[in-house]
Amino acid sequence: MMQISVPCDEQFSEMMVFAARYAIGRRTYAVSDTVNYIAHVLPFLRRNDIKVIYTDIVEAESENRLGDECDVESWMYLKKRIEDYAAGVVAKE
């Protein structure tokens, strides 16, 4: 696998919000790929962007628009990761 360096700046953080918003309700592999990537880069995102992603998940969950059951599981995983991260439980990887 080729490795590249991506700046973890404001634009990167915003792009993760855009990716989450695109993937919510998609019912494709985009959901698991997006969730896993965001979970991996969570420590590099701005607090406000993490809050936006979390709020979007909660709203979509309450409106039953997260996707199929496997997608719901993925989003609940990310929601829990964000909660743990916010609580300081997630160790730096």
Side-chain angles (χ1 to χ4, degrees), residues 6 12-14 18 22 29 31 34 44 49 58 61 71-72 81-82 88:
V6 176
F12 174 78
S13 192
E14 289 173 1
F18 303 153
Y22 171 83
Y29 64 88
V31 174
T34 301
F44 304 103
D49 291 331
V58 169
E61 178 185 19
D71 303 321
V72 172
R81 281 289 298 242
I82 291 171

Side-chain angles (χ1 to χ4, degrees), residues 1 4-5 7 12-13 36 44 46 51 55 60 66 75-76 87:
M1 170 197 273
I4 62 170
S5 177
F12 174 78
S13 192
N36 290 329
F44 304 103
R46 294 182 306 180
K51 183 178 177 181
T55 301
L66 288 175
W75 290 116
M76 292 303 96

Side-chain angles (χ1 to χ4, degrees), residues 7-75:
C8 293
D9 57 9
E10 289 181 17
Q11 189 174 21
F12 174 78
S13 192
E14 289 173 1
M15 293 302 292
M16 294 304 101
V17 173
F18 303 153
R21 287 184 166 175
Y22 171 83
I24 287 177
R26 275 298 150 183
R27 293 182 160 108
T28 69
Y29 64 88
V31 174
S32 61
D33 288 350
T34 301
V35 163
N36 290 329
Y37 191 81
I38 291 173
H40 180 72
V41 300
L42 205 53
F44 304 103
L45 304 183
R46 294 182 306 180
R47 292 182 100 158
N48 188 59
D49 291 331
I50 293 170
K51 183 178 177 181
V52 168
I53 293 168
Y54 183 83
T55 301
D56 286 349
I57 294 168
V58 169
E59 286 177 5
E61 178 185 19
S62 72
E63 297 168 0
N64 292 322
R65 58 179 179 84
L66 288 175
D68 294 328
E69 187 58 35
C70 60
D71 303 321
V72 172
E73 289 176 20
S74 292
W75 290 116

